[in-house]
């Protein structure tokens, strides 16, 4: 560890215009815990760890904190560690051997000193910032902090600056536009298990058959194992530290070693910290250090005897012990850390991808390391998307700078039209109710049914820009049902203070398949379920053949079993699913096992009464954030004409349901599709996929008028016309602004 009185005096900067000052200090002893909790509200570990780590020390690393204050109030904290990294440790085979040899001649390139921005030895990179501050002040704070980092790196002779292990949640707090000189690569993902279960048996039933068999086989030799939970390790501390050091030697990814003092004092310094000890005849075979809060159980360290621990399956035994502990104590989330992605996913964990942003201070060396990005990036055992960084920071800062608050039920909406197929401008009365109509027709054939990559990325950027300009909750018109997958982008870009959210999908089709391409109007719901802030999906009104039993092999079946997805068809009561034998099925009314598979019985809207169903649903979701996605193909053809097969719901039934939801739920957004596109879908593969062939295309003005009438009635329910606002005033102005972009 370093002593920092001189460094703290040397590394100070000020921004007198915004009344900001910046310093780098060795610890946070003078910062109250309440202030830290306010700055780090989503950090999964207890914030006390930020004070404890500098005290306990960490071999081979120095710890610092960059603090930006506005007058005397802290508005930004960057945890920092510095130490040496060998590039060869990230490589394999001949590449690693060559790198080791050349590192003797090029130490600043191949064995650089790294200044890392993250909480050391945490799988969750995090920064602390004041969420009530204005965007202008926070921008100035970041400029000051990044300038200080450059000076500190130069003064401490660091070669590389790196933001380490920031994931799609914590990475939203990074102003990515200010880090354009940094290169992004894959980091090590972490894993979490959501536990909406009442018993261990329910959890086990949510796993695949092979995973249950593997757990049973691995834990069959658990007789005689004693489990001891304690916050006073006492005489066990030497054995615990010994097992920790053994596990470090076997690990492929180690950044440093905790001191023994860490394990001796962690339980007295960190609330909720305790050891789970696994004993056999008085001998310690394994230990598990966990942090317990009301929101989660965090698995911090696990170490076991390499021979006896494996023989008794203690990794799997400890996994089930922690899952059982969470269920018994009503803890909804088990945070299980990094590595072994394939195994953890098979045990029900959700993998959260992370990223590392790095920059070598010598431009030539930075280009060389960027060329090695493919080799330096961590390769998980299962394929994961890249982490989404930075965007929600911009979005959230806009919200705070404009002093916008959450929309209350019945409050004003921003009505947006995304004209991707030419169907919306044909409905003049609907357009007159819009606040903005964005012309995207040049990309129509690139977006319909399934999108081309460049068109999808371009649309995503446009939606982020719109979120920044108009942070109010949206009612979005999408056009044809061929474009329903755009709902994914609307959910992915929801502001942070509107999350978590529950999706209600009113559609004739479930749109939930696991097919490729990932973003398709028939499978976008399966991708929405990957978003960590989607607390659940309620499907209502489905009546198409897509919910026939033979289709249930290619859906999010696990989510249907554990109730994260619930299905309420319009009048289909039964689906027979072959060769599926779940032990529980929370997403349907009830089920029965048969010799050929399972019969799934549904609560239908017709049986319960559509209005009564939505009344019950609205009462159940009262107080929760709710997003509505409506495809008008759920309606009878008398209410409009879509490009897809129609369901049986009556328009009056839909309107009554929407009225109940808008009256009782906290709606944070809604989208509407199901128009008839005026242009034919192009491309043989897309027409084949959609089942459209020559001679089946038709479009008429009568259809547009009918659809327009239905859209107006839906708008009247969700957003009654506001007398104090001249509707449609900003359409032409904003459409031009978008085109200029």
């Amino acid at each position: 560890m370093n002593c920092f009185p001189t460094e703290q005096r040397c590394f100070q900067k000020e921004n007198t215009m915004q009344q900001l000052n910046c310093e780098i200090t060795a610890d946070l002893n003078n910062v109250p815990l309440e202030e830290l909790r306010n700055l780090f509200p989503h950090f999964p570990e207890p914030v006390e760890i930020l004070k404890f780590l500098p005290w306990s020390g960490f071999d081979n690393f120095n710890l610092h904190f960059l603090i930006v204050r506005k007058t005397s109030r802290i508005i930004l904290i960057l945890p920092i560690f510095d130490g040496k990294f060998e590039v060869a440790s990230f490589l394999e085979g001949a590449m690693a051997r060559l790198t080791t040899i050349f590192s003797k001649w090029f130490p600043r390139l191949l064995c650089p000193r790294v200044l890392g921005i993250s909480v050391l030895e945490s799988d969750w990179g995090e920064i602390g910032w004041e969420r009530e501050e204005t965007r202008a002040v926070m921008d100035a704070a970041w400029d000051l902090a990044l300038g200080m980092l450059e000076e500190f790196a130069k003064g401490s002779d660091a070669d590389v600056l790196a933001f380490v292990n920031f994931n799609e949640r914590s990475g939203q707090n990074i102003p990515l536009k200010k880090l354009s000189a940094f290169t992004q690569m894959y980091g090590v993902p972490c894993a979490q298990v959501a536990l909406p279960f009442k018993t261990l048996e329910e959890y086990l039933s949510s796993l695949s058959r092979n995973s249950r068999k593997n757990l049973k086989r691995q834990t069959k030799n658990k007789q005689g194992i004693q489990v001891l939970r304690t916050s006073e390790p006492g005489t066990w501390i030497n054995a615990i530290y010994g097992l920790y050091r053994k596990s470090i030697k076997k690990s492929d990814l180690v950044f440093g070693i905790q001191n023994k003092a860490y394990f001796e004092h962690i339980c007295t310094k960190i609330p909720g910290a305790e050891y789970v000890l696994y004993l056999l005849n008085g001998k310690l075979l394994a230990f598990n250090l966990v942090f317990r809060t009301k929101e989660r159980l965090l698995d911090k360290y696990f170490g076991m005897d390499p021979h006896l621990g494996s023989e008794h399956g203690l990794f799997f035994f400890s996994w089930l012990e922690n899952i059982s502990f969470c269920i018994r104590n009503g803890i909804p989330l088990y945070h299980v850390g990094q590595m072994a992605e394939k195994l953890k996913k098979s045990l029900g964990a959700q993998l959260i991808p992370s990223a590392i942003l790095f920059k070598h201070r010598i431009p030539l060396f930075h280009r060389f390391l960027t060329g090695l990005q493919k080799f330096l990036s961590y390769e998980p055992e299962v394929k994961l998307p890249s982490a989404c960084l930075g965007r929600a920071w911009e979005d959230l800062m806009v919200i705070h700078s404009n002093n916008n608050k959450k929309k209350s039920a019945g409050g004003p909406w921003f009505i947006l039209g995304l004209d991707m197929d030419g169907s919306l401008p044909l409905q003049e009365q609907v357009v007159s109710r819009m606040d903005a109509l964005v012309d995207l027709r040049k990309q129509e054939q690139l977006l319909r049914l399934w999108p081309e990559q460049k068109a999808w990325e371009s649309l995503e950027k446009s939606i982020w820009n719109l979120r920044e300009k108009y942070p109010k909750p949206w009612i979005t018109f999408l056009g044809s049902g061929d474009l329903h997958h755009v709902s994914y982008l609307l959910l992915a870009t929801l502001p942070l203070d509107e999350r978590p959210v529950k999706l209600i999908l009113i559609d004739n089709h479930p749109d939930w398949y696991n097919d490729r391409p990932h973003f398709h109007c028939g499978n976008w719901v399966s991708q929405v379920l990957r978003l960590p802030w989607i607390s659940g999906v309620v499907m209502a009104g489905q009546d198409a053949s897509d919910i026939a039993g033979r289709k249930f092999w290619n859906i999010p079946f696990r989510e249907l079993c554990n109730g994260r997805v619930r299905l309420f068809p319009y009048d289909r009561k039964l689906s027979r699913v072959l060769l599926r034998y779940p032990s529980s099925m929370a997403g349907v009314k009830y089920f029965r096992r048969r010799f050929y598979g399972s019969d799934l019985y549904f609560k239908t809207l017709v049986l319960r009464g559509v209005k009564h169903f939505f009344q019950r649903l609205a009462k159940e979701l009262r107080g929760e954030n709710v997003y509505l996605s409506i495809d008008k193909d759920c309606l009878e053809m008398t209410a409009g004409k879509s490009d897809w097969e129609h369901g049986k719901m009556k328009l009056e039934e839909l309107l009554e349901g929407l009225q109940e939801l808008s009256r009782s739920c906290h709606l944070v957004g809604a989208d509407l599709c199901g128009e008839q596109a005026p242009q034919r879908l192009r491309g043989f593969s897309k027409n084949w996929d959609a089942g459209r062939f020559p001679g089946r295309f038709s479009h008429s003005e009568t259809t547009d008028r009918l659809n327009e009438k239905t859209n107006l009635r839906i708008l009247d329910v969700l957003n009654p016309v506001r007398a104090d606002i001249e509707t449609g005033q900003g359409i032409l102005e904003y459409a031009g602004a978008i085109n200029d972009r």
Side-chain angles (χ1 to χ4, degrees), residues 40 98 110 119 135 142 177 191 373 392 452 591 599 644 699:
F40 292 86
L98 282 173
L110 301 176
V119 180
R135 178 176 183 174
W142 268 104
K177 293 178 182 178
Q373 175 188 357
E452 300 293 334
F591 75 104
D599 289 347
W644 295 89
H699 178 266

Side-chain angles (χ1 to χ4, degrees), residues 429-682:
Q429 293 185 60
V430 173
V431 171
S432 70
R433 297 277 295 273
M434 292 181 184
D435 297 298
L437 178 64
V438 184
D439 186 1
L440 299 166
R441 276 176 286 180
K442 290 182 179 179
Q443 303 185 83
E444 175 183 354
Q445 298 300 333
L446 299 177
L447 290 172
R448 284 179 65 180
L449 208 68
W450 69 76
E452 300 293 334
Q453 184 67 27
K454 288 186 179 179
W456 186 250
E457 292 175 355
S458 175
L459 177 62
E460 185 179 14
K461 290 178 182 177
S462 296
I463 291 176
W464 277 109
N465 289 334
L466 287 163
R467 289 285 190 199
E468 183 174 344
K469 189 173 181 66
Y470 297 108
K472 278 197 304 184
W474 294 355
I475 296 176
T476 311
F477 286 85
L478 303 177
S480 167
D482 293 352
L483 296 157
H484 205 170
H485 47 285
V486 178
S487 298
Y488 171 87
L489 292 180
L490 299 175
L491 286 159
T493 59
L494 277 178
L496 288 181
D497 59 354
E498 294 178 356
R499 306 174 187 176
V501 66
K502 185 154 288 184
L503 168 64
I504 299 179
L505 174 63
I506 305 175
D507 194 331
N508 190 39
H509 308 84
D511 295 351
W512 61 354
Y513 293 117
N514 291 318
D515 296 330
R516 292 180 179 272
H518 292 309
F519 300 107
H520 184 294
C521 66
N523 65 14
W524 62 274
V525 172
S526 65
Q527 299 306 311
V528 163
L529 288 166
R530 297 173 183 267
L531 297 174
W533 51 87
I534 301 298
S535 59
V537 177
V538 178
M539 297 183 173
Q542 284 68 26
D543 199 67
S545 60
D546 291 356
I547 58 172
R550 65 183 183 278
K551 303 291 185 73
F552 274 70
W553 267 93
N554 197 26
I555 69 165
F557 199 75
R558 177 183 294 176
E559 284 79 3
L560 191 65
C561 289
N562 62 32
R564 191 173 176 220
V565 173
R566 292 189 292 160
L567 180 60
F568 301 94
Y570 187 76
D571 69 353
R572 181 185 288 270
K573 300 177 182 178
L574 168 67
S575 285
R576 289 192 165 92
V577 184
L578 298 178
L579 303 178
R580 289 276 199 180
Y581 302 94
S583 58
S584 67
M585 184 63 68
V588 302
K589 183 178 181 180
Y590 64 92
F591 75 104
R592 288 178 180 168
R593 289 185 179 181
R594 307 292 190 185
F595 70 92
Y596 52 78
S598 298
D599 289 347
L600 308 185
Y601 295 87
F602 305 115
K603 298 177 182 177
T604 67
L605 272 62
V606 169
L607 184 63
R608 302 187 69 180
V610 178
K611 183 176 181 179
H612 178 66
F613 165 79
F614 282 110
Q615 285 176 338
R616 293 283 299 272
L617 182 62
K619 183 177 180 181
E620 175 190 331
L621 300 181
R622 185 168 294 160
E624 293 189 45
N625 291 338
V626 172
Y627 185 95
L628 278 173
S629 185
I630 306 163
D631 190 334
K632 297 200 302 294
D633 68 10
C634 66
L635 299 171
E636 296 176 324
M637 288 189 67
T638 55
K641 190 174 180 182
S642 171
D643 288 322
W644 295 89
E645 60 182 319
H646 278 262
K648 302 175 182 178
M649 189 183 296
K650 295 176 176 58
L651 177 58
E652 296 302 326
E653 293 175 328
L654 174 63
L655 296 176
E656 286 179 348
L658 296 180
Q659 195 168 33
E660 293 295 336
L661 293 173
S662 62
R663 183 184 300 155
S664 302
C665 297
H666 178 73
L667 298 181
V668 299
D671 63 61
L672 184 65
C673 67
E675 316 305 328
Q676 189 178 53
Q679 299 294 327
R680 185 190 302 273
L681 183 65
R682 295 177 189 169

Side-chain angles (χ1 to χ4, degrees), residues 215-251:
L215 273 174
K216 186 176 180 180
R217 182 175 65 254
Q218 293 288 350
T219 57
K220 66 180 180 180
N221 195 20
K222 63 182 180 181
Q223 290 82 5
I225 299 295
Q226 179 188 358
V227 181
L228 176 63
R229 306 188 78 98
T230 180
S231 57
E232 298 178 354
T235 56
W236 300 109
I237 200 67
N238 290 329
I240 288 172
Y241 194 62
L243 291 177
Y244 164 73
R245 295 297 293 257
K246 288 180 181 179
S247 66
I248 288 294
K249 289 181 180 178
K250 291 186 64 179
S251 177

Side-chain angles (χ1 to χ4, degrees), residues 75-229:
I75 62 172
L76 182 65
I77 293 181
L78 305 186
I80 303 172
F81 62 86
D82 74 87
K84 287 206 169 185
F85 284 84
E86 294 184 5
V87 173
S89 64
F90 292 87
L91 305 174
E92 296 179 353
M95 182 72 76
R97 291 192 293 272
L98 282 173
T99 304
T100 302
I101 294 171
F102 282 107
S103 64
K104 298 176 182 178
W105 290 286
F106 303 100
R108 298 198 67 180
L109 174 63
L110 301 176
C111 190
R113 188 172 188 85
V114 174
L115 199 66
I117 296 89
S118 186
V119 180
L120 186 62
E121 196 65 352
S122 173
D123 58 13
W124 190 284
E126 189 67 272
I127 59 173
W129 61 286
E130 175 54 66
R131 283 149 176 82
E132 297 300 325
E133 194 49 81
T134 65
R135 178 176 183 174
V137 171
M138 290 308 303
D139 278 345
W142 268 104
D143 291 337
L144 195 63
L146 293 174
M148 172 71 86
L149 279 176
E150 291 284 355
E151 290 187 16
F152 186 60
K154 184 178 180 181
S156 57
D157 203 29
D159 304 300
V160 175
L161 286 171
F163 287 77
V164 181
N165 283 344
F166 281 82
N167 55 54
E168 57 192 14
R169 304 183 197 181
S170 64
Q172 294 168 355
N173 303 330
I174 299 175
L176 205 59
K177 293 178 182 178
K178 297 181 183 294
L179 305 175
S180 57
F182 285 66
T183 296
Q184 181 173 330
M185 67 180 186
Y186 288 104
V188 186
C190 63
Q192 295 181 338
V193 184
L195 297 170
F197 311 108
K198 296 181 180 179
T199 64
L200 181 62
E201 288 68 29
E202 283 188 22
Y203 160 73
L204 292 172
S205 69
S206 71
L207 305 179
S208 69
R209 195 173 185 180
N210 288 337
S211 297
R212 292 197 299 270
K213 288 175 66 176
N214 185 47
L215 273 174
K216 186 176 180 180
R217 182 175 65 254
Q218 293 288 350
T219 57
K220 66 180 180 180
N221 195 20
K222 63 182 180 181
Q223 290 82 5
I225 299 295
Q226 179 188 358
V227 181
L228 176 63
R229 306 188 78 98

